[in-house]
Amino acid sequence: MAALRGLGRCPPRSVSVSSLHTSSSVSAKQHYKMLVLGGGSGGIAMSARMKRMMGAENVAVVEPSEARSRMHYYQPIWTLVGAGAKTAASSGRSTASVMPSGVKWVKSKVEEINPDTNTVRTDDGTEISYEYLIVALGLQLHYERIKGLPDGFEHPKIGSNYSIQTVEKTWNALQNFKGGNAVFSFPNTPVKCAGAPQKIMYLSDAYLRKTGKRSKAKIIYNTSLPVLFGVKKYADSLWEIVKQRDLQVNLRQNLIEVRADKQEAVFENLDKPGETTVIEYEMLHVTPPMGPSLAIKGGPLADEVGWLDVDRDALQHKRYPNVFGIGYCTNLPTGQPCTTCFSFSAAQSAILNRTISKTLKKEKPDKKYDGYTSCPLVTSYNTVILAEFDYNLQPLETFPINQAKERRLMYHMKADLMPHLYWHGLLRGLWGGPGPYRKLLHLGMK
């Protein structure tokens, strides 16, 4: 139960102390040329790049290490974990093993950022000053904003691919499905990897067909959005799949309560305030509401909503030029869309590296981030629609083929190749550019 009560926080990422990294001392004052907040994909990738640019002794990363369970996870693979195609163990490695050697690992939680004094205060009282700051704090998962959660996860038949504590519960619910409603939700907030809620729906459909249970199932996808997917080219293909596989999609429906003891999910109609619908379920997959990091929200670095306020082209803070941002904590007009940790960080890290390099030389940034976003939409156990697009939701594709079609090759790239490139390329600061698939194609053509 204690683990489930922690689901209102971001998934854990780091683990026990490594001899390569020095832990923080309580109430000590520290100073670094480059301070990186967050040890997720963006934070680790940028700390590796900054190590090469500035020297390891000048770089520090603030990332908690509260227990042995603290790990760094390749979260895009959790879609396949929830469907039984990958194991949860394969998605994680110790944070010590991915932290760049020689950099200072401050094993604390960020409590307050004060850009006016160039300082950060951690939860153990440590004050850290910096010359330059990279904020890579991700976003917060808020299961507790749905009545009945997270306690409801103690019951069977309910899971969520957005947390390491609950992703295997999705697979258990799918395996134990007997017949009835299989319900999948999408919240009324920005979401990281906004394709993931429907990916598990397609995989569940495929599993139930393979096991002979599909005729006993009614598959329901309730989304708060007014569309199935934000880019029309891919949405058109997805609607065809929905029709062919007899999947029920209900738009503008937001999950507000789970009555796990009764196996009931309550949805509100966002177009008709006060109108609710109760659906009995045999399986329920929950995508939690999400929001800005509490260390940013309400502080001087935040916009009016609470996201890190950065320039969309250079990834540099709009008011504090020595502060930079990467990933889900920012207010880039990608809107925390359907984007994997890999594609988002790979595309942004090269631009941000260039921006910082120019800033150090007192020059203006000369490279622009175009909003490149990648979403491998898994539609079965061997097919993927590879959606790639820009800030304007226009396709920005890698391959000279129609990427809106389901393809086996794209599945193998998603399931097998990209995790390898993540661990051995991105996190070492060796992989970045216009996007992971575009760079992969470029390398293959040499």
Side-chain angles (χ1 to χ4, degrees):
M1 176 65 77
L4 293 178
R5 291 188 184 280
L7 289 178
R9 300 189 295 271
C10 291
R13 287 191 293 255
S14 352
V15 290
S16 56
V17 176
S18 164
S19 60
L20 295 175
H21 317 288
T22 307
S23 60
S24 61
S25 56
V26 177
S27 300
K29 187 167 184 178
Q30 305 173 37
H31 176 81
Y32 296 94
K33 185 169 185 178
M34 177 60 75
L35 184 63
V36 181
L37 305 184
S41 56
I44 295 295
M46 289 309 303
S47 62
R49 287 176 176 269
M50 293 301 100
K51 173 187 172 180
R52 288 199 296 274
M53 184 182 294
M54 302 177 174
E57 70 279 3
N58 294 312
V59 181
V61 181
V62 182
E63 170 68 10
S65 178
E66 298 173 357
R68 291 189 178 184
S69 62
R70 290 286 167 172
M71 299 280 285
H72 180 104
Y73 291 103
Y74 178 59
Q75 296 181 26
I77 212 70
W78 286 348
T79 286
L80 300 180
V81 174
K86 295 286 185 179
T87 65
S90 71
S91 71
R93 298 187 181 183
S94 70
T95 300
S97 70
V98 300
M99 189 73 68
S101 63
V103 306
K104 174 75 173 228
W105 179 9
V106 181
K107 300 176 182 69
S108 303
K109 181 181 177 182
V110 177
E111 283 288 328
E112 183 181 10
I113 307 169
N114 190 337
D116 293 311
T117 59
N118 293 332
T119 58
V120 170
R121 182 172 56 82
T122 65
D123 60 348
D124 64 1
T126 302
E127 184 176 273
I128 309 169
S129 58
Y130 60 82
E131 291 183 44
Y132 300 93
L133 181 71
I134 296 175
V135 184
L137 289 172
L139 47 64
Q140 295 284 114
L141 305 182
H142 292 291
Y143 288 97
E144 79 284 354
R145 292 183 183 175
I146 300 173
K147 186 178 179 180
L149 295 182
D151 291 355
F153 286 113
E154 289 292 328
H155 294 259
K157 306 181 186 299
I158 175 174
S160 174
N161 290 352
Y162 278 85
S163 164
I164 191 62
Q165 295 99 324
T166 58
V167 62
E168 290 177 303
K169 292 178 181 291
T170 303
W171 174 226
N172 291 336
L174 183 55
Q175 284 181 294
N176 295 324
F177 185 90
K178 306 298 182 185
N181 293 329
V183 182
F184 305 84
S185 73
F186 186 109
N188 189 29
T189 66
V191 170
K192 64 176 177 179
C193 195
Q198 59 182 295
K199 295 176 193 180
I200 187 59
M201 171 183 66
Y202 301 129
L203 285 164
S204 297
D205 170 75
Y207 178 80
L208 295 176
R209 291 180 187 275
K210 182 173 64 174
T211 55
K213 301 176 183 178
R214 183 61 179 90
S215 61
K216 301 176 183 178
K218 183 176 183 180
I219 297 180
I220 302 170
Y221 180 58
N222 277 7
T223 173
S224 66
L225 300 176
V227 294
L228 182 58
F229 193 76
V231 182
K232 185 179 185 304
K233 176 178 181 177
Y234 308 117
D236 289 345
S237 295
L238 294 171
W239 277 118
E240 286 300 315
I241 292 172
V242 165
K243 294 175 184 176
Q244 292 168 7
R245 301 181 191 175
D246 191 27
L247 309 174
Q248 181 177 322
V249 175
N250 300 314
L251 306 177
R252 301 292 288 157
Q253 298 293 313
N254 182 43
L255 180 65
I256 59 173
E257 182 180 359
V258 175
R259 302 165 183 167
D261 56 334
K262 300 179 181 178
Q263 292 178 211
E264 293 178 346
V266 183
F267 291 87
E268 63 175 343
N269 186 334
L270 295 176
D271 290 330
K272 297 180 180 179
E275 180 180 295
T276 60
T277 302
V278 179
I279 302 177
E280 295 183 1
Y281 63 83
E282 175 66 13
M283 173 187 177
L284 174 65
H285 178 269
V286 176
T287 302
M290 304 180 197
S293 166
L294 299 181
I296 301 172
K297 186 176 182 180
L301 293 179
D303 65 9
E304 64 277 4
V305 181
W307 304 102
L308 189 72
D309 195 14
V310 297
D311 176 82
R312 60 179 276 169
D313 297 327
L315 309 182
Q316 189 171 26
H317 198 273
K318 292 179 180 178
R319 299 183 299 281
Y320 298 93
N322 65 330
V323 177
F324 310 89
I326 187 171
Y328 296 115
C329 67
T330 66
N331 65 348
L332 296 175
T334 48
Q336 293 73 38
C338 178
T339 175
T340 66
C341 304
F342 189 178
S343 72
F344 212 37
S345 298
Q348 292 184 9
S349 63
I351 297 296
L352 183 52
N353 190 70
R354 179 74 173 183
T355 293
I356 293 172
S357 176
K358 286 290 186 179
T359 300
L360 291 175
K361 297 174 184 177
K362 310 297 183 184
E363 299 175 2
K364 290 185 177 181
D366 60 349
K367 297 291 184 181
K368 293 184 178 182
Y369 176 52
D370 57 10
Y372 172 81
T373 297
S374 166
C375 182
L377 288 154
V378 183
T379 54
S380 76
Y381 283 94
N382 57 18
T383 56
V384 158
I385 289 174
L386 180 57
E388 296 179 289
F389 46 94
D390 62 14
Y391 275 137
N392 298 317
L393 300 180
Q394 295 302 307
L396 195 62
E397 297 181 341
T398 297
F399 302 95
I401 55 177
N402 181 8
Q403 290 185 197
K405 291 185 64 175
E406 297 176 278
R407 298 184 187 275
R408 287 176 178 266
L409 174 62
M410 302 305 180
Y411 178 88
H412 290 300
M413 290 179 65
K414 154 77 176 178
D416 304 317
L417 181 58
M418 287 303 162
H420 178 79
L421 294 176
Y422 178 82
W423 296 115
H424 301 288
L426 176 69
L427 293 186
R428 296 181 181 179
L430 302 174
W431 190 271
Y437 298 99
R438 278 186 269 173
K439 185 163 186 179
L440 182 65
L441 180 65
H442 175 71
L443 292 175
M445 293 175 65
K446 283 188 173 181

